[in-house]
Amino acid sequence: MQQLSQERMPIYEALERFKQMRVVPFDVPGHKHGKGNPELTRFLGEQCVSVDVNSMKPLDNLIHPVSVIKDAEELAAEAFGAAHAFFMVGGTTSAVQGMVLSVSKKGDKIILPRNVHRSVINALVLCGAEPVYVNPEVDTRLGISLGMSLAQVEQAIRENPDAVAILVNNPTYYGICSDLCGIVKLAHAHGIKVLADEAHGTHFYFGKDLPVSAMAAGADMAAVSMHKSGGSLTQSSILLTGPAMNAGYVRQIINLTQTTSGSYLLLSSLDISRRNLALRGEAVFAQVAALAQYARNEINAIGDYDAFSKELINGDSVFDFDVTKLSVHTLDIGLAGVEVYDLLRDEYDIQIEFGDIGNILAYVSLGDSRQNVERLVSALSEVRRLYRQDKAGMLTQEYISPQVVTTPQHAFYAEKESLPLEKTEGRVCSEFVMCYPPGIPVLAPGERITRDILDYIAYAKEKGCSMTGPEDLEIKHLNVLKGV
């Protein structure tokens, strides 16, 4: 066998060998290399459906890798500077849940910011761990949550010395980074594991002059969305672990929820993308950072928009900033971010990542060009010229501190009743409400419903935010705990 190097793509190479074997398939999937579903084959192409195959000895098995998947994961671990890497085909949601479930069980405490992705709180519903929230500081002008303050983390540890882990969003959707090295040092001094939701930080491992990566900072686990800034297919992700984690146990945890039928389309895309980043990542992300900076300069020259960046750094709650994130504050043109988001899509055929109450995020990555950025800048200039209005009366606050009454697991499974939204004030919610993207809950199970939250939900709906989470898809009713 050839020696492993970052030039290699073990899964891709195995699939190429498999195609040359002209195997007659009497296994699943039932489309049999596309022959049984001609419409699908025409749509996706024969090249694609011919490698949508089942696990078999020559191709290894994701739940117990011993050959080509094992090799590909070892190459990924080396590329990311981790002790182990696990390929995930259930998205970074699955990787985040794998982290939380690997370090905690019912009754354990986890310190985390409240502005986490719903996947974190979903994991708490599954395992019964208790969240200890460090409420993030908020930039009131931009209406965005900042990172975790080191002093707040220290206070949380002092008040909860029995906590088993700290989870950090790094970076946030907007590009805000916490003092990850400081948090790791503090946590490890108290015997506490550090988990990083690094969904938006794949490029930290390969670019120069970018914020520190979780593995370089000494974190114990990190969930990395290769499909976001790393170029792999949607739903493919990597879970990284440091040397202090028991890799065999982590694999067992992953196998509790991850499919036994791992998609070779997703797995090969991880393999191919890892090679691309390992060989060319530094140059690629230098170009991405330069393109994002060019866009920021051009957008700020329009007037009224604020494409913010490193000027936010304060050495604590904004310890660093991810310059590849093109986050733009829109309230000074009198439009909510989601209204700009809708205008860009409906009037200019430009699909950005998301818009919230006061900001938009245009995701700039390795597939972008200067021409596309110029089209975005031109459209934003025209939006300002045609749709600018008085910003009086616009909501600015994006984050509302929760009133936690009980654990997410207890609230999710407790006896509940459905009430009209306006009649839920003061009650304890038993489900999620969030704008998606970014998927950060406005309400999570176990939290008290306040007037501020109800006003926020009404305002977000009015402005056109995509609200998700509750059983009632129209969000006219909410499930609340009975008698609480």
Side-chain angles (χ1 to χ4, degrees), residues 450-465:
T450 63
R451 173 45 50 189
D452 283 348
I453 288 171
L454 292 174
D455 290 345
Y456 180 91
I457 292 171
Y459 184 84
K461 287 173 69 176
E462 176 195 330
K463 291 297 183 183
C465 285

Side-chain angles (χ1 to χ4, degrees), residues 179-196:
D179 181 2
L180 195 53
C181 291
I183 291 171
V184 168
K185 185 177 179 182
L186 185 61
H188 285 177
H190 290 82
I192 296 173
K193 295 280 195 291
V194 177
L195 318 177

Side-chain angles (χ1 to χ4, degrees), residues 144-304:
I144 65 170
S145 303
L146 304 179
M148 294 176 84
S149 159
L150 203 56
Q152 286 181 315
V153 173
E154 191 167 15
Q155 181 181 343
I157 292 173
R158 194 163 53 245
E159 294 173 355
N160 301 273
D162 54 341
V164 298
I166 297 173
L167 188 140
V168 188
N169 296 327
N170 208 69
T172 68
Y173 231 130
Y174 303 97
I176 306 295
C177 295
S178 301
D179 181 2
L180 195 53
C181 291
I183 291 171
V184 168
K185 185 177 179 182
L186 185 61
H188 285 177
H190 290 82
I192 296 173
K193 295 280 195 291
V194 177
L195 318 177
D197 181 348
E198 218 169 18
H200 298 275
T202 304
H203 46 294
F204 290 2
Y205 290 89
F206 303 98
K208 279 187 72 177
D209 302 320
L210 293 175
V212 67
S213 69
M215 289 295 106
D220 297 286
M221 303 184 81
V224 178
S225 283
M226 277 288 277
H227 67 94
K228 288 187 170 74
S229 59
S232 65
L233 291 178
T234 295
Q235 204 175 306
S236 60
S237 181
I238 296 179
L239 176 57
L240 304 172
T241 63
M245 297 301 300
N246 179 340
Y249 179 69
V250 172
R251 176 83 67 190
Q252 286 185 322
I253 292 292
I254 290 169
N255 287 341
L256 290 176
T257 55
Q258 180 153 260
T259 178
T260 56
S261 304
S263 165
Y264 279 88
L265 299 176
L266 300 182
L267 294 172
S268 59
S269 81
L270 285 171
D271 200 19
I272 294 165
S273 299
R274 180 270 314 153
R275 178 184 185 273
N276 181 49
L277 296 184
L279 300 182
R280 294 183 280 272
E282 186 175 320
V284 164
F285 291 122
Q287 292 174 350
V288 171
L291 195 57
Q293 187 57 48
Y294 168 73
R296 254 191 300 276
N297 294 342
E298 294 295 305
I299 292 168
N300 285 332
I302 295 169
D304 293 323

Side-chain angles (χ1 to χ4, degrees), residues 330-456:
T330 66
L331 288 188
D332 287 340
I333 66 167
L335 295 176
V338 68
E339 292 175 308
V340 175
Y341 170 97
D342 287 339
L343 285 167
L344 288 173
R345 183 192 59 245
D346 297 341
E347 302 297 328
Y348 300 94
D349 294 329
I350 294 173
Q351 181 63 56
I352 59 174
E353 176 67 11
F354 81 91
D356 60 26
I357 297 302
N359 306 277
I360 59 172
L361 172 66
Y363 217 95
V364 182
S365 194
L366 63 177
D368 284 305
S369 67
R370 190 179 176 104
Q371 181 181 9
N372 284 351
V373 165
E374 288 171 348
R375 183 173 163 186
L376 171 65
V377 172
S378 176
L380 286 172
S381 179
E382 200 163 302
V383 166
R384 176 183 179 271
R385 182 173 63 83
L386 295 176
Y387 300 99
R388 187 173 184 270
Q389 60 192 34
D390 188 350
K391 69 173 184 176
M394 299 197 74
L395 191 66
T396 57
Q397 192 76 349
E398 184 70 22
Y399 175 79
I400 301 170
S401 297
Q403 297 180 22
V404 179
V405 178
T406 187
T407 66
Q409 185 183 68
H410 177 262
F412 189 83
Y413 291 112
E415 194 175 359
K416 63 198 77 169
E417 59 182 326
S418 177
L419 293 179
L421 195 61
E422 280 304 310
K423 293 189 176 180
T424 61
E425 185 177 354
R427 302 296 294 273
V428 178
C429 193
S430 71
E431 54 186 351
F432 292 93
V433 182
M434 72 205 80
C435 298
Y436 193 88
I440 298 165
V442 178
L443 270 172
E447 295 175 0
R448 195 170 299 283
I449 301 166
T450 63
R451 173 45 50 189
D452 283 348
I453 288 171
L454 292 174
D455 290 345
Y456 180 91

Side-chain angles (χ1 to χ4, degrees), residues 99-112 120 123-133 160-166 191-193 195 249 253 406-409:
M99 289 197 304
V100 174
L101 296 176
S102 291
V103 301
S104 65
K105 60 186 183 305
K106 188 174 180 65
D108 285 342
K109 292 179 181 178
I110 297 185
I111 297 168
L112 66 160
V120 177
L124 301 182
V125 169
L126 292 173
C127 73
E130 176 186 339
V132 175
Y133 291 127
N160 301 273
D162 54 341
V164 298
I166 297 173
I192 296 173
K193 295 280 195 291
L195 318 177
Y249 179 69
I253 292 292
T406 187
T407 66
Q409 185 183 68

